[in-house]
């Protein structure tokens, strides 16, 4: 079951249970919001990266998985230099993910590499309840 935490203007946030269907549900929620915001050019890469990060959360964490999208503009956010889409995936595991090299025969291990090569910026942060992996993509036409 999807739990919509907040969908106010430039921000959308969901909580997904740590169950196998969470990846598909997260993809559909993110795609729907991006289309509603008119960010069609970002749909493919954003949905791919969210899928990778939610999959990582499912593999290693046992609690709820949060997904948050924020459209950021320099005029409204003094920390933003260029208009961007901030995407955050949170889970209760405090350990940050580690990018590891994957061989041609490995079935996994490419998620963080995809984030690193696809995003404008990315990183992780810890908080009281776990960690967040985030990435930014430039907004199209801005």
């Amino acid at each position: 079951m999807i739990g919509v935490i907040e969908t106010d203007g430039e921000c959308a946030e969901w909580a997904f249970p740590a169950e196998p269907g969470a990846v598909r549900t997260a993809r559909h929620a993110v795609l729907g919001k991006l289309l509603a915001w008119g960010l069609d050019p970002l749909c493919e890469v954003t949905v791919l990266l969210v899928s990778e990060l939610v999959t990582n959360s499912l593999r290693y964490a046992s609690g709820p998985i949060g997904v948050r999208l924020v459209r950021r503009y320099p005029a409204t956010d003094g920390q933003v230099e260029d208009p961007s889409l901030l995407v955050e995936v949170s889970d209760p595991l405090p350990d940050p993910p580690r990018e590891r090299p994957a061989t041609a025969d490995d079935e996994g291990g490419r998620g963080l590499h995809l984030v690193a090569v696809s995003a404008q910026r990315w990183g992780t942060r810890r908080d009281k309840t776990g960690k967040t992996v985030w990435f930014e993509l430039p907004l199209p036409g801005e």
Side-chain angles (χ1 to χ4, degrees), residues 31-45:
L31 179 61
K33 182 51 79 171
L34 292 175
L35 292 173
W37 283 346
L39 296 178
D40 304 37
L42 295 182
C43 287
E44 187 175 339
V45 67

Side-chain angles (χ1 to χ4, degrees), residues 25-101:
T25 307
R27 279 196 307 257
H28 289 293
V30 167
L31 179 61
K33 182 51 79 171
L34 292 175
L35 292 173
W37 283 346
L39 296 178
D40 304 37
L42 295 182
C43 287
E44 187 175 339
V45 67
T46 305
V47 168
L48 171 66
L49 299 181
V50 166
S51 294
E52 292 293 335
L53 294 178
V54 171
T55 298
N56 281 351
S57 290
L58 274 174
R59 178 171 288 142
Y60 300 108
S62 60
I65 300 164
V67 176
R68 182 172 182 250
L69 306 177
V70 182
R71 288 195 298 189
R72 300 173 74 189
Y73 297 97
T76 58
D77 186 340
Q79 298 178 17
V80 176
E81 294 181 22
D82 296 312
S84 62
L85 176 69
L86 171 66
V87 180
E88 299 175 327
V89 176
S90 304
D91 64 51
L93 187 67
D95 302 325
R98 283 182 254 154
E99 191 174 352
R100 63 180 175 90

Side-chain angles (χ1 to χ4, degrees), residues 45 48-49 99 110-122 135-138:
V45 67
L48 171 66
L49 299 181
E99 191 174 352
R110 293 175 182 80
L112 287 178
H113 179 72
L114 284 172
V115 171
V117 300
S118 302
Q120 173 176 286
R121 294 182 337 134
W122 78 281
F135 63 89
E136 288 181 352
L137 298 169

Side-chain angles (χ1 to χ4, degrees), residues 7-28:
T7 57
D8 183 23
E10 304 296 318
C11 178
E13 189 170 347
W14 304 271
F16 304 99
E19 300 172 355
V23 177
R24 182 183 66 243
T25 307
R27 279 196 307 257
H28 289 293

